[in-house]
Amino acid sequence: MRAYLTTIIESGTESYDLEIVEAASGFEALKTLPHHKFDAILTDINMPDINGLELVSFLKNHPVYRSIPIMVISTESTEEDRRRAAALGAEEYLVKPFQAGDLVEKLRRLLRVA
Amino acid sequence: MAREDDRARDEFTSEAEELLDTLSRDLVDFESQGQNVRPELVNKIFREVHSLKGLAGMLGFTEISELSHSLEDMLDRLRMGRIAITRDLIDLLYDSVDSLNRLVIAINDPSLGALVDMTGLTSRIHHIITSQPARVHDDPFAELTLDEQTKKSLTEYEEHRLLENVRAAKHILVLEVTFDFSDFDERLRALTASLSESGEVISTLPAIPTGNVNGIAFRLLYGSTLDAAAVQVLAPDAAVTSLRKSEPGAAAPAALPAPTEIVEEEMSLRSLSQTVRVDIAKLDHVMNIVGELIIQKTQLEALTRASADRTSVQQGRMTSHELGKVARNLDRKLNELQKSVIEIRMVPVGQIYSKLSRTVRKVARELGKEIELVLRGEDTELDKMMVEELTDPLMHIIRNALDHGIEPPDERRRAGKSPVGRVTLNAYQQGNSVVLDVTDDGRGINPENVKRVAVQRGLIGEKDIVDQQRAYELLFTPGFSTAATVSEISGRGVGLDVVKKNLQELKGTIDVISRVGEGTTFRISLPITLAIIQALIVEAGGEKFAIPLTSVEESLRIYSRDIRTVERREVFTLRDFTLPLLRLADAFDLDDDHDHGPDTKWFVVVTRAGEKTVGILVNALVRQQEVVIKSIGERLKTVPGVAGATEIGESEIILVVDVGSLIDHFGGRARETRARAAHV
């Protein structure tokens, strides 16, 4: 089902030729980091292993990864956590459930592409 | 686009079912842990509902998304300690999961959607959320020396857990560990698991390690009954620091209010998805076999080319020898392939256990009986389709046990039994069959009571003798149980005859073993898979038939003079046992000119279906072979004694005998003979 998110992004950003790497947990996310040069990271807050805030905190304190823009995707019930993510340095957030168009729009902004 | 929607819907259904299945299992754990429920479990349940909501929301399944949203909201408060665990809350969780299940099923069958009382559930959730006063949110950091970065990275939930640990007078520690990047996940999981045995890992914050460039560091926030020195022993590689400024105090737990009753409509517990999740290793194995089959095919082609040039007799023999070798190899590989494919279809019966325990809980509540459900053998594997088809009959039998078997608590006390009734479900493999025993420790089946009901229903006369065996048969007779006698629990007038019929369709049998006053066991026996079976090919009346080997006990040769007639019924004395005989040719109305007097040779195939044994009389045994059973279509489905058809080489199509229905239909009186014989 993760692939569904990928599908939305792919269909909305076809012309940019994005490569999307999926990770099912916080650990998986950490493990993929050294293998790619990411232009943007999208993360949930409620995840197994390490949560989204911990991931954001790590990335934003890392000498190499701190410059990668981050979008936190989460639900209304985690409003407070979203505020915390912003305090940790996450650039963008999106509330679930969302429209495909919103996601693509925010992603474009994040990537600074017109 | 429509196809993509279909795919998304199928994917959602399958994923949602899996989520709800895990959720029900977690709820059972949740309930059994009572007030001391592990916070990790509450958080896991929260995450599961959260995932379901997200999935449903994105795909536009509004009702599922809205209900899980409300639930998530309630669970969020629960994990934050803002509401207490009450009976109402537990019931509401169970009911909500039931309703979510229904809604998922309703995606493919919209007529079922109306069964869900959305407004009722939402208002109950709202009631729970609002009826409990919000607790004062203390500052968890007041008593701790916690660095800013860790503090900022805590989620609201983690902050709450930290506070709970501070309140519960736990030691609050920080463990700093550095692992190699290659295997940090495994090592950290192992560490977390060992720490969780004596405490709670509240947060795991990754950090950049000092020194080790190939590594990754983690700061674990840990609440524990152990102090820093003890934890240091558990995690020798970690730097352990205590965060407490002073020695901790104590905290008290809350009380559990009384339960409430909720009665709900029943519905099929069968899951919807036709998909099987397969271990990739199993698929790799199939792939390997296919590769080897291709090699055999190449050899066959080479042989074909070579044999064209071989002209002498000797060369011909060589070709024949080589062909034989390829055929043997092919046979072996095909056998392996068959086994692997069967294995892929297999799923553990435990998959339906959680659904069963949920229903047992509900039914027991409705009946005012206390029931302990014991589930055994959940790893026993059975064909996926069988597992699905089995759910309803199994539930019916369990409901019967709860309703008719287990006595009310008072009656149990008077009989010197524990007031808590026990129902055991045990699954195990026996040869090529899987057996499921549903055992209760209730009042047992009294033949006198069965007779009274059967006479009332007009199934038998006053003077008929009803012994144990006859009583069990009557239970499965159509018309024995009717809506008037069966309470709401045991089903809407659906009797055990339907259960038996369902099981027969699966080529299964059901038997009863009961002792008055001690309890009853319903024993379901099913072939492991329906698709491919070992069969004995026989000949009768000039036609060939396949008899499934699972039903065959033995076969022997007899002469016409060995056949005796008892009460106009042909029998044969097998050792000390009078075996009723059934002429296969007669059963299928075939002309048989085989009998030429007392010296005519016959073969008896001794078959067994459940507790009944009958000798099937045939002219010849052809061979034993594996056959693939094919359905013979809807119109012929009702023909008794036929399980299907199969092809046995060279386009020869023969019927596969269904021993169970053959005995039931043609061997009706055989049972009486046998019962008498057994009593002599």
Side-chain angles (χ1 to χ4, degrees), chain B residues 265-281:
Chain B
E265 276 179 80
E266 275 294 311
M267 73 180 292
S268 173
L269 291 165
R270 273 149 60 163
S271 88
L272 197 70
S273 68
Q274 301 265 315
T275 52
V276 179
R277 277 173 197 258
V278 181
D279 183 350
I280 194 90

Side-chain angles (χ1 to χ4, degrees), chain B residues 171 173 198 222 224-228 230-231 234:
Chain B
H171 292 276
L173 309 168
S198 31
Y222 181 47
S224 174
T225 45
L226 307 175
D227 63 10
V231 172
L234 261 183

Side-chain angles (χ1 to χ4, degrees), chain B residues 7 9-18 271-278 344-347 351 383-385 388:
Chain B
R7 218 198 61 189
R9 192 184 63 199
D10 286 351
E11 254 181 72
F12 171 77
T13 316
S14 143
E15 183 132 348
E17 273 181 0
E18 200 160 310
S271 88
L272 197 70
S273 68
Q274 301 265 315
T275 52
V276 179
R277 277 173 197 258
V278 181
I344 286 172
R345 294 180 59 99
M346 294 296 172
V347 295
Q351 285 195 350
D383 193 287
K384 159 90 175 172
M385 284 307 136
E388 295 301 337

Side-chain angles (χ1 to χ4, degrees), chain B residues 32-91:
Chain B
S32 69
Q33 290 178 17
Q35 283 299 314
N36 299 320
V37 59
R38 291 176 72 82
E40 295 94 312
L41 183 62
V42 182
N43 197 36
K44 183 164 179 270
I45 293 173
F46 167 80
R47 262 214 322 266
E48 281 153 7
V49 173
H50 174 82
S51 303
L52 184 66
K53 183 193 108 177
L55 282 178
M58 278 196 290
L59 289 168
F61 296 117
T62 327
E63 283 192 312
I64 299 176
S65 154
E66 277 170 9
L67 178 54
S68 40
H69 185 127
S70 308
L71 264 188
E72 180 195 21
D73 203 24
M74 181 177 83
L75 285 164
D76 186 39
R77 283 160 209 260
L78 183 68
R79 69 182 190 141
M80 296 296 188
R82 290 185 192 139
I83 54 174
I85 300 171
T86 61
R87 193 73 241 173
D88 277 354
L89 180 112
I90 294 173
D91 287 342

